[in-house]
Amino acid sequence: MLTVSDLSVTLPMAGVPVPVLSGVSLTLPRGGSVGLVGESGSGKSMTALAVMGLLPPGARTGGQIGFDGHDLLAAPEAALCALRGRRIGMVFQEPMTALDPLMRIGAQVAEPLRRHLGLSRAAAAARAAALLARVGLAPPRVTPDLYPHQLSGGQRQRVVIAAALACGPDLLIADEPTTALDVTVQAQVLDLLAALTAEAGMALLLITHDLAVVSETVEQVLVMYAGRVVESGSTAAVFARMAHPYTRALFAASPHAAVGDPAPIPGVMPDPRARPPGCAFAPRCARAGGECTRTVPPLLGTDAHRVACFHPHAAR
Amino acid sequence: MKGSAWRSPSLLAGAAITAVMVAVALLSLVWTPYRPTAMDFVHRLAPPSAVHPLGTDSFGRDVLSMIMAGAQSSLTVALIAVAVGAGLGIPLGALAAARAGLLDDLVMRGCDLAFAFPALLTAVMITALAGPGAGNAMLAIGIFNIPVFARVTRGAARGVWAREYVLAARAAGRGDAAISVVHVLPNIAAVLMVQATIQFALAIVADAGLSYVGLGVQPPQPSWGRMLNEAQTFIWRAPLLAIFPGLAIMLAVLGLNLLGDGLQDLLDPRLRRAR
Ligand SMILES: Nc1ncnc2c1ncn2[C@@H]1O[C@H](COP(=O)(O)OP(=O)(O)O)[C@@H](O)[C@H]1O
Ligand SMILES: [Mg+2]
């Protein structure tokens, strides 16, 4: 249903076009689920925003984003407006800032219902109340006439989820939906997302920097680094092998998966303005050899498992 | 909110003074001690007394009645001038903020151009060309409020456009116009309200200036500016004739500025907390 092929995005930084995404491809069948994993700055949000047609002004794109027969990169703004919130819903990272502070939560959930489905004020309000109850925000503790600042972070994220799901979209994009939440709430919100999407047969694109988060939630995983996909495949295959050294480093850095303390990945991701000519991970990689610093390793393998590395790990 | 309002003396004082001004202006529509235009040549230049609390002017008109009627004309001119400025300036600024790029540049350069003219002088020029009178005074003052509101709106709106809930609204399929109305304007309403109060005070001064030079409200309808002008001739014999309208202008401006300051203090921290 969603097919991203060879997506590239350049953004102007101080007037100079800088590539932030290169050759990103992913396929998400109807009702399927894909996890997009990588450190902060690896291009996950840009991928999501490209699908939504909400890239920052001045962005230049290449490749295709097919959604149910439309090419989203070529679609006019009006067509995208009709799709956003109706067929594609999105949940953002910061529940503290993703809600309008001056609007009641019920109204924020009802808004897309009125806009996209043409519901009357009363019908939309009733539906919004039901949606809020479905995400676990029911009276007497939470009523639709509350304002965002009267809710906790986890409750606000539930409001955001209810609003994103209001029109029953075919695809839900969740960009780090639990990153800003307390650890105890994270699992609940993830479970809620998984349950709601499964129940409605909705496809899920789950973005996170925590590799362990996706292991139980999604069917396929894409690991991104510096604007490229470095490893992809079915969740089982990727976790069974973790062929790319970056994938392993990411896993070791996860606060949820590591056996001992999480081990932060040494070094920093190269700035998109000054990426090395070869593999972008080479400067931080213990296995890097000569060719790693000269040529970008191609993403090779089968649909079940691909890796972009000259010195991949064998099975774990 | 009530608690913090009571803790702000400038808000209270400003609201009280402004409320009195508005009440006096409204009252003058139905009642003044004397008809403000009624002349009494026997009692010219009378000092304040029990019959004429603020005395009479050189035509024997009751000064208190004139001040009351002047409040009404002054507040009306200022209100409509600010409404014109806000009514055109806010949409322009909101549009500029929503459509960064050429349109934004156009609107902002237009504002720069408007600011290059000294406002009061140009208002004098406009009313001199278009003819004196309350209507043209409102327009002339209103025109100079347009760029003020456009700029303030654009600046504040750009801040809202950068917030994540606007991105979330766009991701929900809302267009620029709907976002401007549903999310941007309510979130900058406080800033605009404060600005409107300040502009209101400036408009009262501008109106007084225009009617002082004879380009505002026309006789026989009284205005504070013309009262000041007419008092000049008798400034040594009857200085109070200049002092009372001067005080009225000063009080009106003071009240509105205090109100603006108080509103700013009241609304800003509350909004910051709510965000
Ligand atoms: N508005 C922007 N203009 C220019 N560059 C940006 C902008 N937003 C993000 N970037 C850059 O794009 C790259 C990818 O960012 P992003 O997709 O947000 O990463 P992630 O979501 O994986 O943390 C980063 O290098 C970031 O610096
Ligand atoms: Mg991100």
Side-chain angles (χ1 to χ4, degrees):
Chain A
M1 179 184 54
L2 177 71
T3 322
V4 177
S5 24
D6 203 23
L7 172 68
S8 65
V9 171
T10 51
L11 287 176
M13 291 187 199
V16 188
V18 171
V20 294
L21 291 183
S22 316
V24 173
S25 299
L26 72 91
T27 311
L28 184 48
R30 189 170 289 279
S33 54
V34 168
L36 209 52
V37 193
E39 281 173 294
S40 174
S42 53
K44 309 180 297 290
S45 295
M46 286 301 144
T47 308
L49 292 178
V51 172
M52 298 298 287
L54 292 176
L55 286 170
R60 298 179 146 256
T61 55
Q64 282 96 38
I65 300 179
F67 179 77
D68 252 10
H70 310 270
D71 182 5
L72 297 187
L73 287 181
E77 178 65 16
L80 290 173
C81 270
L83 228 54
R84 294 181 200 133
R86 173 72 190 86
R87 309 272 323 271
I88 308 178
M90 184 152 177
V91 173
F92 290 86
Q93 174 172 347
E94 274 295 335
M96 301 320 242
T97 54
L99 292 170
D100 188 330
L102 298 185
M103 245 174 125
R104 297 175 194 279
I105 58 170
Q108 307 208 33
V109 178
E111 230 278 347
L113 292 167
R114 304 195 62 197
R115 171 173 314 281
H116 289 298
L117 306 184
L119 262 57
S120 70
R121 189 180 289 270
R127 186 95 147 250
L131 280 157
L132 284 171
R134 179 64 193 88
V135 296
L137 301 177
R141 286 186 58 208
V142 178
T143 53
D145 59 354
L146 292 183
Y147 287 95
H149 74 269
Q150 295 171 295
L151 305 184
S152 70
Q155 288 172 324
R156 289 190 205 195
Q157 193 63 302
R158 288 166 189 266
V159 175
V160 174
I161 291 170
L165 297 183
C167 297
D170 303 310
L171 167 63
L172 182 72
I173 300 177
D175 189 356
E176 311 223 20
T178 60
T179 304
L181 303 180
D182 289 346
V183 181
T184 47
V185 185
Q186 288 185 356
Q188 295 168 16
V189 169
L190 268 183
D191 290 346
L192 178 70
L193 270 178
L196 289 171
T197 49
E199 168 183 304
M202 203 180 294
L204 174 66
L205 180 60
L206 178 65
I207 295 175
T208 171
H209 64 265
D210 186 347
L211 189 56
V213 157
V214 296
S215 63
E216 288 148 32
T217 329
V218 296
E219 294 154 5
Q220 297 175 69
V221 179
L222 271 84
V223 181
M224 286 187 77
Y225 186 77
R228 290 177 188 275
V229 177
V230 296
E231 185 162 3
S232 69
S234 72
T235 309
V238 170
F239 274 86
R241 186 156 162 216
M242 295 198 182
H244 202 289
Y246 177 61
T247 310
R248 293 207 171 188
L250 206 55
F251 190 70
S254 164
H256 297 106
V259 189
D261 286 335
I265 310 174
V268 291
M269 179 161 7
D271 188 282
R273 278 164 294 192
R275 276 182 191 147
C279 174
F281 189 60
R284 303 167 77 181
C285 180
R287 297 166 76 90
E291 68 273 62
C292 299
T293 58
R294 284 191 300 272
T295 27
V296 178
L299 185 65
L300 297 177
T302 63
D303 278 353
H305 189 210
R306 293 178 205 276
V307 62
C309 183
F310 292 125
H311 305 285
H313 288 279
R316 273 208 287 170
Chain B
M1 184 174 152
K2 198 159 193 176
S4 47
W6 285 114
R7 262 180 272 118
S8 163
S10 73
L11 182 71
L12 280 181
I17 296 172
T18 307
V20 168
M21 283 289 163
V22 171
V24 165
L26 290 175
L27 179 65
S28 81
L29 289 172
V30 293
W31 179 84
T32 45
Y34 296 84
R35 210 151 41 81
T37 52
M39 302 184 194
D40 176 357
F41 289 99
V42 180
H43 299 105
R44 298 169 57 202
L45 299 175
S49 65
V51 267
H52 293 290
L54 301 184
T56 62
D57 74 351
S58 57
F59 295 98
R61 293 175 293 193
D62 179 54
V63 171
L64 177 61
S65 304
M66 290 175 80
I67 293 274
M68 288 176 68
Q72 186 263 320
S73 82
S74 208
L75 293 192
T76 307
V77 169
L79 183 71
I80 293 180
V82 172
V84 167
L88 292 171
I90 292 174
L92 267 179
L95 196 67
R99 288 285 151 85
L102 185 65
L103 193 80
D104 185 25
D105 287 345
L106 226 72
V107 171
M108 285 306 113
R109 294 299 82 77
C111 289
D112 290 345
L113 194 69
F115 281 122
F117 291 91
L120 195 56
L121 254 145
T122 316
V124 167
M125 208 176 72
I126 292 174
T127 37
L129 286 176
N136 285 337
M138 293 170 192
L139 266 182
I141 303 170
I143 285 173
F144 281 95
N145 275 308
I146 297 174
V148 174
F149 279 101
R151 236 187 213 180
V152 169
T153 304
R154 177 204 179 248
R158 296 256 305 201
V160 176
W161 274 98
R163 305 193 79 95
E164 196 162 43
Y165 58 82
V166 167
L167 185 62
R170 297 177 69 203
R174 250 153 276 168
D176 291 353
I179 290 176
S180 292
V181 173
V182 177
H183 298 288
V184 176
L185 287 179
N187 277 290
I188 64 172
V191 179
L192 295 181
M193 222 150 80
V194 171
Q195 191 66 39
T197 324
I198 294 165
Q199 293 311 115
F200 204 112
L202 290 174
I204 285 178
V205 175
D207 166 67
L210 284 182
S211 47
Y212 179 84
V213 297
L215 294 170
V217 171
Q218 290 300 291
Q221 207 194 333
S223 70
W224 293 344
R226 193 149 25 72
M227 287 175 78
L228 272 178
N229 180 313
E230 290 168 359
Q232 276 184 132
T233 326
F234 307 97
I235 191 79
W236 302 116
R237 270 175 70 192
L240 286 179
L241 278 185
I243 288 176
F244 287 133
L247 270 179
I249 295 169
M250 199 204 79
L251 261 183
V253 170
L254 179 73
L256 286 163
N257 280 336
L258 285 175
L259 185 65
D261 277 359
L263 279 178
Q264 183 136 42
D265 292 347
L266 178 72
L267 295 170
D268 275 6
R270 187 170 69 95
L271 283 187
R272 239 178 277 131
R273 214 179 321 129
R275 276 171 196 167

